[in-house]
Amino acid sequence: MFSYSGHAYKSTHSVIGIYLNEVRNLYIYDREPSSGQIHANIGYVWTFVLQVNDKVHLQIDSAKLYVDDDQRFFFNGWLLNTVWSQYKSY
C-alpha cells in the first residue's frame, strides 16, 4: 500500500502521476482553486501488486505546488502481505 499526503500552496490545478517501472499507471487530479491561490491538503492512498525489482515513483506532471520547511509532502509505502508456498501447484 502506498500513500502521499501534504500541505501545499497552489495556484492552479495539479496532476500527479504514479509511475510503476517508468510507466504511468495512475494519476491524481486536484482541481484548480476557485479563489486563485489557496493552501490545500492533498492526499491519496493506492495499492500495487509488485514484483522483485519493481520501482514506484511520483512525478508532478502538471502543477505548481510550493513546498518548504512548513509545507511538506510525504510519500510512504508498506508491505501488506507476502505469500510464499513450499508446495507445488498441480
Side-chain angles (χ1 to χ4, degrees):
M1 180 171 72
F2 295 92
S3 71
Y4 81 89
S5 62
H7 179 250
Y9 182 76
K10 59 186 227 156
S11 59
T12 184
H13 73 279
S14 60
V15 178
I16 299 175
I18 313 296
Y19 289 78
L20 176 60
N21 297 323
E22 304 302 322
V23 175
R24 186 171 74 181
N25 275 334
L26 173 64
Y27 71 92
I28 290 87
Y29 176 83
D30 192 54
R31 70 181 184 87
E32 184 173 344
S34 58
S35 63
Q37 298 178 337
I38 191 168
H39 290 271
N41 290 312
I42 301 172
Y44 200 78
V45 176
W46 69 97
T47 61
F48 280 143
V49 176
L50 300 176
Q51 304 298 320
V52 173
N53 295 321
D54 280 349
K55 294 183 187 332
V56 176
H57 79 272
L58 275 62
Q59 179 175 307
I60 298 173
D61 290 339
S62 173
K64 290 183 180 178
L65 299 175
Y66 303 96
V67 296
D68 60 23
D69 290 341
D70 294 329
Q71 300 173 129
R72 300 178 183 171
F73 268 83
F74 299 93
F75 174 46
N76 301 292
W78 297 271
L79 176 63
L80 296 180
N81 190 11
T82 59
V83 178
W84 181 82
S85 175
Q86 65 185 18
Y87 304 104
K88 281 186 171 179
S89 59
Y90 294 99

